[in-house]
């Protein structure tokens, strides 16, 4: 199917920019990697449990890739599905806040596990569907603009909302203050859901395909078949290799947040500093990687990986010598790794949308993301165990080494973009 972009795209771009900005701000204000980590540590949850929340989320995403990718390709009203997904995310985050404020420690742990699992499924569902939806409704140049504008604007909104919430809640207990940040995120998710309804889907609806209800075994069989089919394409094998190289690198934010939460979860400014640093990372990442990505994908990958390596090495040294008590040290580290991780995620996403054929787009990204999720489940579980049995700093050291290796491998695997092909 060929989509003809016309004046309707000019209408969709600002609407999608506004919607994605709200969604980005929501994920910052209620970030599972930062805010939920602080809440969990504040409640005294075991370090392994806090670290394992990353694995639980990745597991849920992998199951979505395996069991739902075929159903996603047959969704007719995509914007309604995406809108309902935002509402479901708001409900999940709301449940965590209710558990934190009114539940026992054991009840809260169960709610965290269940909600993080559901969030992982919904988030992955959205990412798979958005890849197809945005590719159909925006041309390549507009996709790049959207990708980086949402980072800058979303980060700006998150900084403003965080600072206002900080000033208005100075007298509250840390847990209550952290809960308010999540409540703001819930509001942003709700507004994002309504904004999606205003998007005009340019892709014509294909005839409804009501396939038979598939058993889990049939779904797994279809997934395996899809894997073998996709692996026959050279462009896809190269993309898979790049995604796997960076599997451990993108884990930097949750584990940098964990070591920060351990040091500053009782502070009245610890979470505020980290959310602002996280949001500022998005603001800087937008124009920075937007400019550099047009030069070379390989340069963006190498630079991002080395930034995480330098931040990790610095933080590890300061922690080992017991001079990392200032929250500003952790805030700077979060800022650097956020900029770097956003660069990695954005460049891989844009690269995929540029090279993937329409008829292989959703199936291909489902396979690629599931491969990476499996690797991340193993890695995050191992890092959580290391943090629990020893110290979180050892997880930081592992990520630092992996980042340097990723920079070297990306330099070898990624070809220089040919002029005129947009890298």
């Amino acid at each position: 199917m060929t989509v003809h972009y016309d004046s309707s795209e000019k209408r969709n771009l600002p609407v999608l920019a506004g919607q994605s900005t709200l969604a980005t701000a929501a994920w910052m204000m209620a970030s599972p990697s930062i805010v939920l980590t602080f809440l969990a540590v504040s409640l005294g949850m075991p370090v392994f449990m806090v670290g394992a929340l990353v694995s639980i989320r990745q597991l849920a995403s992998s199951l979505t890739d395996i069991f739902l990718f075929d159903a996603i390709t047959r969704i007719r009203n995509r914007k309604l599905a995406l809108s309902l997904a935002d509402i479901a995310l708001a409900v999940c985050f709301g449940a965590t806040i209710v558990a934190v404020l009114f539940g026992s420690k054991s009840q809260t742990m169960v709610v965290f596990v269940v909600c993080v699992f559901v969030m992982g499924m919904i988030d992955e569902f959205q990412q798979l569907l958005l890849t197809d939806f945005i590719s159909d409704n925006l041309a390549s140049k507009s996709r790049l603009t959207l990708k980086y504008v949402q980072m800058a604007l979303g980060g700006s909104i998150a900084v403003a909302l965080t600072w206002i919430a900080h000033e208005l809640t100075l007298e509250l207990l840390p847990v209550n203050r952290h809960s308010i940040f999540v409540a703001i995120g819930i509001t942003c998710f709700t507004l994002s859901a309504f904004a999606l309804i205003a998007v005009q889907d340019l892709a014509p609806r294909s005839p409804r395909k009501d396939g038979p209800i598939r058993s889990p075994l049939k779904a797994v069989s279809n997934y395996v078949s899809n894997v073998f089919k996709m692996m026959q394409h050279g462009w896809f094998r190269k993309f898979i290799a790049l995604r796997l190289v960076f599997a451990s690198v993108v884990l930097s934010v949750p584990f940098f947040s964990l070591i920060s939460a351990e040091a500053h979860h009782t502070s009245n400014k610890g979470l505020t500093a980290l959310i602002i640093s996280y949001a500022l990372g998005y603001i800087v990442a937008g124009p920075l990687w937007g400019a550099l990505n047009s030069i070379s994908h390989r340069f963006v990958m190498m630079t991002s990986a080395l930034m995480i390596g330098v931040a990790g090495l610095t933080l590890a040294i300061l922690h080992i010598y017991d001079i990392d008590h200032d929250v500003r040290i952790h805030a700077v580290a979060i800022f650097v790794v956020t900029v770097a991780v956003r660069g990695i995620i954005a460049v891989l996403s844009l690269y995929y949308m540029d090279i993937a054929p329409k008829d292989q787009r959703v199936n291909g990204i489902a396979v690629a993301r599931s491969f990476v999720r499996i690797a991340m489940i193993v890695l995050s579980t191992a890092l959580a165990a290391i943090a629990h049995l020893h110290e979180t700093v050892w997880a930081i050291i592992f990520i630092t080494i992996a980042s340097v290796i990723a920079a070297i491998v990306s330099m070898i695997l990624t070809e220089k973009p040919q002029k005129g092909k947009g890298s």
Side-chain angles (χ1 to χ4, degrees):
M1 177 186 65
T2 301
V3 178
H4 298 285
Y5 301 99
D6 51 23
S7 59
S8 296
E9 186 192 9
K10 296 180 180 179
R11 173 183 178 276
N12 275 344
L13 181 57
V15 175
L16 282 169
Q19 176 273 324
S20 60
T21 294
L22 287 167
T24 300
W27 279 112
M28 292 181 192
M29 299 301 299
S31 170
S33 298
I34 294 180
V35 182
L36 294 191
T37 294
F38 258 74
L39 278 170
V41 173
S42 298
L43 295 170
M45 291 187 188
V47 172
F48 178 77
M49 172 62 71
V50 179
L53 291 176
V54 180
S55 303
I56 292 168
R57 189 177 174 192
Q58 301 299 333
L59 174 62
S61 298
S62 296
L63 293 176
T64 303
D65 293 330
I66 294 171
F67 294 106
L68 297 181
F69 78 91
D70 187 48
I72 290 172
T73 62
R74 294 184 286 133
I75 291 176
R76 300 186 71 211
N77 194 335
R78 296 182 295 183
K79 66 179 185 180
L80 177 60
L82 290 168
S83 179
L84 291 176
D86 270 345
I87 295 295
L89 286 170
V91 171
C92 285
F93 280 109
T96 62
I97 294 306
V98 171
V100 165
L101 296 178
F102 304 105
S104 64
K105 182 177 177 179
S106 59
Q107 290 172 336
T108 304
M109 289 176 64
V110 171
V111 171
F112 265 58
V113 169
V114 172
C115 286
V116 167
F117 183 87
V118 175
M119 289 174 200
M121 293 193 70
I122 297 172
D123 184 31
E124 190 67 7
F125 169 87
Q126 278 191 317
Q127 293 305 315
L128 293 175
L129 192 54
L130 272 172
T131 298
D132 197 45
F133 185 71
I134 292 177
S135 297
D136 279 341
N137 288 285
L138 296 178
S140 180
K141 184 177 179 180
S142 296
R143 293 197 296 262
L144 188 144
T145 300
L146 177 67
K147 178 68 67 174
Y148 294 112
V149 164
Q150 74 184 58
M151 291 186 195
L153 293 182
S156 299
I157 291 174
V159 169
L161 292 176
T162 301
W163 183 254
I164 292 171
H166 172 77
E167 291 298 317
L168 295 177
T169 61
L170 285 173
E171 303 301 321
L172 299 180
L173 295 174
V175 171
N176 299 97
R177 300 178 72 247
H178 300 170
S179 299
I180 288 175
F181 289 130
V182 179
I184 296 173
I186 292 171
T187 303
C188 291
F189 273 124
T190 304
L191 294 174
S192 171
F194 286 113
L196 273 164
I197 301 299
V199 178
Q200 180 180 351
D201 195 346
L202 302 180
R205 293 186 181 182
S206 57
R208 187 176 183 87
K209 299 177 182 178
D210 293 319
I213 298 175
R214 305 180 190 277
S215 68
L217 288 178
K218 182 62 175 177
V220 172
S221 176
N222 289 342
Y223 173 77
V224 172
S225 175
N226 187 43
V227 169
F228 281 107
K229 182 173 68 174
M230 293 306 304
M231 283 298 182
Q232 294 175 7
H233 303 286
W235 69 267
F236 184 74
R237 292 194 298 270
K238 180 179 178 180
F239 183 73
I240 277 286
L242 289 173
R243 288 297 301 263
L244 290 176
V245 162
F246 286 98
S248 59
V249 179
V250 296
L251 290 172
S252 55
V253 173
F255 284 95
F256 275 63
S257 299
L258 178 55
I259 196 172
S260 302
E262 289 176 329
H264 305 292
H265 67 274
T266 59
S267 169
N268 68 347
K269 59 183 179 180
L271 182 57
T272 298
L274 292 195
I275 293 179
I276 290 177
S277 295
Y278 187 53
L280 287 174
Y282 272 69
I283 295 173
V284 172
L288 174 64
W289 301 126
L292 295 181
N293 201 28
S294 62
I295 299 174
S296 170
H297 285 325
R298 178 169 65 179
F299 181 74
V300 172
M301 293 176 195
M302 291 175 57
T303 303
S304 300
L306 290 175
M307 286 173 63
I308 294 175
V310 171
L313 178 62
T314 303
L315 185 59
I317 292 173
L318 294 176
H319 182 84
I320 290 171
Y321 284 95
D322 198 29
I323 51 176
D324 66 332
H325 301 293
D326 193 326
V327 69
R328 288 173 293 186
I329 293 174
H330 293 274
V332 170
I334 289 291
F335 168 77
V336 173
V337 298
T338 299
V339 172
V341 168
R342 297 321 305 176
I344 292 167
I345 293 174
V347 70
L348 291 175
S349 175
L350 290 169
Y351 175 72
Y352 183 83
M353 284 191 282
D354 283 343
I355 66 174
K358 163 63 180 174
D359 60 341
Q360 300 168 8
R361 197 182 290 151
V362 174
N363 287 3
I365 198 64
V367 173
R369 291 173 73 91
S370 65
F371 269 52
V372 176
R373 298 295 184 187
I374 292 170
M376 292 176 70
I377 289 169
V378 174
L379 288 168
S380 58
T381 302
L383 292 175
I386 291 172
H388 181 77
L389 296 175
H390 301 284
E391 285 188 77
T392 305
V393 69
W394 289 107
I396 302 299
I397 292 172
F398 176 88
I399 292 172
T400 299
I401 296 171
S403 300
V404 175
I405 294 173
I408 296 171
V409 173
S410 63
M411 178 179 65
I412 298 171
L413 288 182
T414 310
E415 298 178 359
K416 291 183 179 180
Q418 297 180 17
K419 190 174 182 180
K421 291 190 179 183
S423 74

